Amino acid sequence: MPAPTAFDPRATLDRFKAGDHQAFDTLYRAHHPGLCAFANSIVRDHASAEDLVQDVFVTLWANRQSLTTLTTPRAYLYAAVRNRALNHLRRQSVGDAWQESETRDPESASSTQPSADDDLDARELHQQLQAALAGLSPRSKVAATLRWYEQMTYAEIAEAMGISEKSVENQLSRAIKALRTILDP
Amino acid sequence: MTPKPKAPDDLALDRFLADKSTAEEAAAVRAWLDASGRDEGVLEAVRRAASYDAESFRTNTETSLAQAHRRIEAEHQARTAARFRASRWVPILAAAAVVVVIAGSVISSYTSRVGEMAATPFQTSRGERRTFALTDGSLMILAPQSRVRFVDGRRERRVELDGEAFFRVKHEGSRPFTVVARNATATDIGTEFVVRSYPGDPSVDIAVADGVVAVSSENRRNTSTILQKGEVARVDASGSTSVRHDLDASAYTGWTTGRLIFRDATLASITADLSRWFNADIAVGDDRLAQQRLSAVYDKPTLDGVLAALAATTGARIERSGNTVRLVRDKSP
């Protein structure tokens, strides 16, 4: 389920920066589950993922006055979590291996299987789609996740991933091309 | 048989998947899917395939939130205590084993795992400035887009820096604190100083806000230059070091308190700083404009405010496209 967006992100951010604890809680509740899953997709360790997401929020609160975001607090949070997750990997000296492991980790290919009561076609379709996405670069895959699952705007994804909007478009275009043959057999 | 509807282009499909298409466009995508023997379930399947482990990743947000509240409260108390203590030990007790935690969420949660001897990397992204309490009790503030490796060793404390950082070093006679940036080395003799070495900077600058720093360069290791409070050393690519006494150190340390200060800087270097500071892509239209020099102080800088001021001073015009801002020479006088 995408993170609920029933609150005004900019207004919440302003209240957050002004030191409003409720705004902190609002952002935490809205984005914590998605951020944990996002972090886990990079560090592949539930406990570390939860720790580093909490670190991001606590650090952000300490530095809330200097917080600047081009788009939304959500994009900022994803960018901060991504940075910290990559740092975490570097600390373990496996940062270079990430790009490889992200595309090849067998766990990622089976982690979101449809449940047993789905019919066979759905299961086969799901496997085809995941195989198509697994063939993408980690960048395209993350862009696809943030766009179609989190339903972010291009500007938000650009901020979250630290790339230009044009690159976001290119990455998504690649992902769409990978899916086309499945959507239109 | 009706002709098959035209396939939507990449962007139209993308908008549909992100739930951002117009009603008309959505209808066209549905018609195309229908003709291909697919229904809307396939798009739900794409979203699910694109999700990470969200379904399998179970986390208790409320428990985590309560824990975050406790950490914030603990750090608040530690910070208050640290301020109180600092005034007493700084002048006298050089080797006191007082650990001061200042906004040290990262450090406090990771040192126990990493261990004191390990090299710990710290970094900031564009638009981010952060304060770290190092494991030896020193304080470091990292400017945007900077990266540091810190080795808290038995014989020395060594920082390798890319970018810009401020240090308030807790002096230890038996373990010198050394900052290495490109070909320059700064060793503290109990002090506060800034080292700046961004890629693109022509030299490494070391500015002393308080105390004394010894500066040496790679090919002249044996001679070091002693810098006093208020002095700035510049180590160029050849390793030669020049010192200026007439500069205001605040031009170098202002950023640590959120001020932006430029002194006789080219527009090219100013926009490079602004890009890092505000996490924005700012370019200058032509070389002549880029080489214009100016001085300015911004106490509470906002990107729009600084850009407007720069444009007014240099007679440039601001052009925006997407995330990129360009300063271009205004043709009309």
Side-chain angles (χ1 to χ4, degrees), chain B residues 178-187 204 206 213-227 233 235 239-241:
Chain B
T178 301
V179 180
V180 182
R182 276 190 278 184
N183 61 343
T185 301
T187 302
V204 179
I206 296 141
V213 173
V215 174
S216 62
S217 68
E218 214 162 64
N219 43 353
R220 295 175 201 189
R221 277 220 186 285
N222 302 330
T223 44
S224 52
T225 308
I226 303 295
L227 285 190
V235 181
S240 83
T241 306

Side-chain angles (χ1 to χ4, degrees), chain A residues 28-29 59 145 150 177 180, chain B residues 8 10 50 52 62 64 105:
Chain A
Y28 209 99
R29 291 198 172 102
T59 310
T145 302
E150 296 288 356
K177 284 188 173 69
R180 242 178 219 286
Chain B
D10 291 352
Y52 6 59
E62 291 307 319
S64 175
S105 61

Side-chain angles (χ1 to χ4, degrees), chain B residues 260-264 270 294-298 309-310 313:
Chain B
L260 281 179
I261 301 174
F262 303 108
R263 196 155 301 247
D264 193 28
I270 291 174
L294 50 137
S295 299
V297 176
Y298 303 102
L310 286 178
T313 322

Side-chain angles (χ1 to χ4, degrees), chain B residues 13-33:
Chain B
L13 257 182
D14 163 60
R15 280 190 293 272
F16 192 90
L17 284 166
D19 205 15
K20 288 178 166 61
S21 16
T22 61
E24 198 183 343
E25 189 171 84
V29 174
R30 284 197 193 94
W32 168 72
L33 277 176

Side-chain angles (χ1 to χ4, degrees), chain B residues 121-149:
Chain B
F122 305 105
Q123 72 177 33
T124 47
S125 52
R126 289 208 311 187
E128 187 186 20
R129 171 167 49 110
R130 281 178 57 190
T131 302
F132 297 94
L134 299 178
T135 40
D136 70 334
S138 297
L139 177 91
M140 172 175 77
I141 308 177
L142 268 190
Q145 211 171 13
S146 299
R147 186 177 155 80
V148 150
R149 262 182 86 241

Side-chain angles (χ1 to χ4, degrees), chain A:
Chain A
M1 70 234 96
T5 47
F7 61 94
D8 177 353
R10 297 299 307 194
T12 309
L13 179 64
D14 289 342
R15 289 196 290 116
F16 181 89
K17 288 175 78 165
D20 182 339
H21 287 80
Q22 278 184 353
F24 178 88
D25 293 358
T26 304
L27 286 177
Y28 209 99
R29 291 198 172 102
H31 300 308
H32 178 263
L35 287 167
C36 284
F38 179 62
N40 185 52
S41 74
I42 300 173
V43 300
R44 297 254 159 249
D45 173 39
H46 281 211
S48 303
E50 293 204 5
D51 281 356
L52 70 90
V53 168
Q54 192 178 74
D55 287 345
V56 162
F57 274 104
V58 172
T59 310
L60 194 59
W61 182 255
N63 300 318
R64 60 189 176 277
Q65 268 132 355
S66 60
L67 167 63
T68 48
T69 171
L70 290 172
T71 54
T72 58
R74 171 169 71 163
Y76 181 97
L77 286 166
Y78 275 82
V81 165
R82 177 178 156 274
N83 284 337
R84 199 164 290 221
L86 292 176
N87 278 344
H88 175 84
L89 290 187
R90 276 187 212 108
R91 234 190 327 265
Q92 302 179 322
S93 316
V94 294
D96 297 336
W98 173 59
Q99 305 243 325
E100 288 302 304
S101 70
E102 227 218 6
T103 47
R104 294 196 185 149
D105 192 339
E107 198 194 336
S108 72
S110 59
S111 52
T112 55
Q113 290 277 8
S115 55
D117 52 321
D118 283 317
D119 61 37
L120 210 63
D121 283 354
R123 192 176 302 236
E124 193 186 330
L125 173 64
H126 183 77
Q127 276 166 357
Q128 283 178 358
L129 289 169
Q130 278 208 320
L133 289 173
L136 294 168
S137 72
R139 251 186 186 200
S140 292
K141 212 176 149 206
V142 170
T145 302
L146 297 183
R147 177 72 174 166
W148 304 329
Y149 181 71
E150 296 288 356
Q151 311 208 324
M152 289 187 185
T153 64
Y154 279 24
E156 284 181 296
I157 299 171
E159 184 175 358
M161 294 181 66
I163 59 179
S164 70
E165 286 188 49
K166 187 71 205 164
S167 312
V168 173
E169 194 182 312
N170 292 340
Q171 303 296 349
L172 288 172
S173 191
R174 256 170 240 163
I176 290 271
K177 284 188 173 69
L179 296 176
R180 242 178 219 286
T181 51
I182 302 167
L183 297 179
D184 186 14

